[in-house]
Amino acid sequence: MTVQTAIRPACPPPAALMGRTTRLGSPDQNEPLRAAGSVTQVSEGREIFAQGADNDVFYKVVSGVVRTCKFLNDGRRQIEAFHVAGDVFGFDLGDERPMSAEAVSDCTLICYRRRSVEALGQKDGAVTRQLLQYAMQNLAQAQSHALLLGRRGAAEKVAAFLLDWADRSDQQNNVRLAMTRQDIADYLGLTIESVSRSLSQFERDGVIALPNARDVRIRSNEALEDLAA
Amino acid sequence: MTVQTAIRPACPPPAALMGRTTRLGSPDQNEPLRAAGSVTQVSEGREIFAQGADNDVFYKVVSGVVRTCKFLNDGRRQIEAFHVAGDVFGFDLGDERPMSAEAVSDCTLICYRRRSVEALGQKDGAVTRQLLQYAMQNLAQAQSHALLLGRRGAAEKVAAFLLDWADRSDQQNNVRLAMTRQDIADYLGLTIESVSRSLSQFERDGVIALPNARDVRIRSNEALEDLAA
DNA sequence: CGCTTAATTGATCAGGGTCAATCGTGGTGG
DNA sequence: CCACCACGATTGACCCTGATCAATTAAGCG
């Protein structure tokens, strides 16, 4: 693992950043994993772990964006997911990493040793329930991703991607894209050219504005939702 | 998985997913959920639950094959997964079903009330760990499905599909397909015609034999793996 | 033995990929 | 300070894979 494990201070508590639903899990204040992790900084573009590597830790994002991806023999890349603050990633079955993870932007992460957490889970049921919660969030995300990849045209994919990202953004219609066109393409199963063309088309149609390559202003949420079909 | 494998003691979960570890889960013999479920029969083609319906139970497959799928407004269908003996499905977050489930063949299922199982999990940590295990198996499956959908050509998809099913089959190179071409197409994000053409091509190339539409004999596993890239 | 539905095969079309040229922007060093 | 460079993004021209449309064959089943 090529991560520069940095400081381990008294921990800036990542309390504010715990995901969405908490049906099966427990509320933030007694986040069951709180004690077990160590904080790590990873700078943009750095690999967090590699496909095939030893699968002994997992992570939670405090800030920044992480991509998890798989590679085929010939180098083709499929990005499985982008992970933002509150998401857990790298939590997989098996002894080997089924995919790799890289920092899309500078990131602050909390790193958990799998064995420690499992041991903890033996004593405290809330830990396991929390893990289950995370696993199921990832599952739901993976499933809607599959829907996106399977049966949608290029424009639909890009529109859906923008809407998805707008949801996660503070300002619902001023989306800042942390990732490159190549990342978007590899997430959507397209080429950079197709992504670019779709975006340009949306702009020509007045659905969005592109002040620069990394920022998207959504002019008509409605139109975008129609495009996402 | 042959369609009516009524007999199949201890229902071993699919090798591809269970493969290595059982680190978080517990072995079958002390299956923690055993007591909590009720047995159900569903005949071929019947709906098990519908997208949008109330999400209060989940299922485990004893025998037969189940498909879970999502529909878009315009009727396009994406099959998320096929579930065979040992798989758990319908175990999702939220109050509404994010997808529907139907019996691909006559099925025997065990039905679990979600609330009961959660209550059980409060007392018995092994139950939650088992659920986590199932969620993560589904996650792994969804992720490799996304890889398949995103960055592979038609022939690659079909080849990978066959190999996947050969894995789950008793006789590794006499695969009986429980599902129609339409099902395969909707799983792979293709049309029936493309699926059919790929299969015919494989047969012409001597990679497989097609004694009838539902049976595939794999002549060269190696060649098929090459095709799956 | 027809009737119905699934599957195969063929001909054509179009969406998105590929290849290539250009633009834009941000960083670096003269 | 700005000229230059490097890299990402955009745009255009063309091509190819897989979708679409249509006809035929095969397989169940009453």
Side-chain angles (χ1 to χ4, degrees):
Chain A
M1 186 159 61
T2 57
V3 180
Q4 343 153 321
T5 43
I7 29 154
R8 230 205 114 151
C11 275
L17 304 166
M18 283 275 305
R20 308 129 205 199
T21 52
T22 332
R23 277 190 94 186
L24 284 171
S26 44
D28 281 25
Q29 50 272 31
N30 38 329
E31 153 66 283
L33 294 175
R34 207 174 359 127
S38 60
V39 174
T40 306
Q41 302 284 342
V42 185
S43 51
E44 184 179 325
R46 280 290 171 69
E47 183 174 87
I48 298 164
F49 54 77
Q51 196 168 350
D54 208 34
N55 182 14
D56 53 354
V57 298
F58 63 92
Y59 297 86
K60 180 165 163 177
V61 180
V62 175
S63 70
V65 179
V66 171
R67 62 172 177 256
T68 46
C69 43
K70 291 185 174 182
F71 293 91
L72 301 182
N73 314 326
D74 57 7
R76 282 174 293 180
R77 182 180 71 159
Q78 174 67 50
I79 293 183
E80 292 285 346
F82 294 107
H83 301 279
V84 300
D87 291 345
V88 163
F89 69 93
F91 184 53
D92 296 291
L93 290 171
D95 297 324
E96 277 191 13
R97 293 283 179 199
M99 62 185 94
S100 60
E102 292 143 12
V104 171
S105 64
D106 290 348
C107 287
T108 306
L109 308 173
I110 310 179
C111 174
Y112 302 96
R113 314 215 119 263
R114 199 172 138 178
R115 294 183 67 86
S116 316
V117 172
E118 281 166 21
L120 206 60
Q122 289 286 347
K123 294 188 209 162
D124 182 0
V127 170
T128 313
R129 281 192 294 277
Q130 181 66 63
L131 293 180
L132 177 57
Q133 188 68 14
Y134 287 132
M136 290 184 65
Q137 278 173 22
N138 283 337
L139 176 58
Q141 196 182 1
Q143 284 168 340
S144 56
H145 188 203
L147 181 62
L148 198 58
L149 288 171
R151 289 250 165 258
R152 295 179 120 117
E156 290 175 329
K157 287 180 178 180
V158 175
F161 177 80
L162 288 178
L163 288 170
D164 184 27
W165 211 248
D167 262 352
R168 312 200 202 183
S169 182
D170 333 334
Q171 301 177 66
Q172 296 279 66
N173 46 353
N174 248 27
V175 186
R176 162 138 277 256
L177 301 172
M179 70 293 289
T180 66
R181 296 285 187 273
Q182 186 65 63
D183 285 334
I184 299 174
D186 286 346
Y187 179 74
L188 297 175
L190 298 171
T191 57
I192 31 177
E193 292 93 334
S194 290
V195 173
S196 194
R197 273 187 255 273
S198 291
L199 289 172
S200 302
Q201 189 59 50
F202 295 168
E203 189 175 34
R204 254 174 265 128
D205 298 345
V207 179
I208 62 170
L210 292 164
N212 63 65
R214 288 300 181 96
D215 286 292
V216 182
R217 148 168 253 162
I218 296 175
R219 288 197 176 295
S220 166
N221 211 289
E222 206 181 36
L224 208 52
E225 272 161 9
D226 288 346
L227 283 163
Chain B
M1 201 58 228
T2 43
V3 183
Q4 277 122 1
T5 13
I7 1 117
R8 228 198 145 179
C11 348
L17 293 176
M18 209 46 178
R20 317 128 208 220
T21 54
T22 330
R23 287 178 86 176
L24 287 173
S26 44
D28 276 25
Q29 52 269 31
N30 40 327
E31 156 67 284
L33 293 175
R34 209 171 358 128
S38 60
V39 174
T40 309
Q41 301 284 341
V42 184
S43 51
E44 184 178 327
R46 281 288 170 70
E47 184 174 86
I48 299 165
F49 54 77
Q51 195 167 350
D54 208 35
N55 182 13
D56 54 352
V57 298
F58 63 93
Y59 298 86
K60 180 164 164 177
V61 181
V62 175
S63 70
V65 179
V66 171
R67 62 172 177 254
T68 47
C69 44
K70 292 185 174 180
F71 292 91
L72 301 182
N73 315 326
D74 57 7
R76 282 175 293 181
R77 182 180 71 158
Q78 174 67 51
I79 294 183
E80 292 284 346
F82 294 107
H83 301 279
V84 299
D87 291 347
V88 163
F89 69 94
F91 183 53
D92 295 291
L93 290 172
D95 296 325
E96 277 191 13
R97 295 282 179 199
M99 61 185 95
S100 61
E102 291 143 14
V104 171
S105 64
D106 289 348
C107 286
T108 306
L109 308 174
I110 310 179
C111 173
Y112 302 97
R113 313 216 120 262
R114 199 172 137 179
R115 296 182 64 85
S116 318
V117 171
E118 280 166 23
L120 206 60
Q122 290 286 346
K123 295 188 207 161
D124 183 0
V127 169
T128 315
R129 280 192 293 279
Q130 182 67 61
L131 292 179
L132 179 55
Q133 188 69 13
Y134 286 132
M136 290 185 66
Q137 279 172 23
N138 283 336
L139 178 57
Q141 195 182 1
Q143 284 168 340
S144 55
H145 188 203
L147 180 61
L148 198 58
L149 288 171
R151 289 250 164 260
R152 295 179 119 117
E156 290 175 331
K157 286 180 179 179
V158 176
F161 177 80
L162 288 178
L163 287 169
D164 187 25
W165 274 82
D167 263 353
R168 311 200 201 182
S169 183
D170 330 334
Q171 299 178 67
Q172 295 281 67
N173 45 356
N174 248 28
V175 184
R176 163 140 273 258
L177 300 172
M179 70 292 291
T180 66
R181 296 286 188 269
Q182 187 64 63
D183 285 333
I184 299 174
D186 286 346
Y187 179 74
L188 297 175
L190 296 171
T191 57
I192 29 176
E193 292 94 333
S194 290
V195 173
S196 192
R197 274 187 253 273
S198 290
L199 288 172
S200 303
Q201 189 59 50
F202 294 169
E203 189 175 34
R204 255 174 264 126
D205 298 346
V207 179
I208 61 171
L210 291 165
N212 63 66
R214 287 300 180 96
D215 286 293
V216 182
R217 147 167 253 163
I218 296 176
R219 288 197 174 294
S220 166
N221 211 288
E222 204 181 38
L224 209 52
E225 272 161 9
D226 288 348
L227 283 165

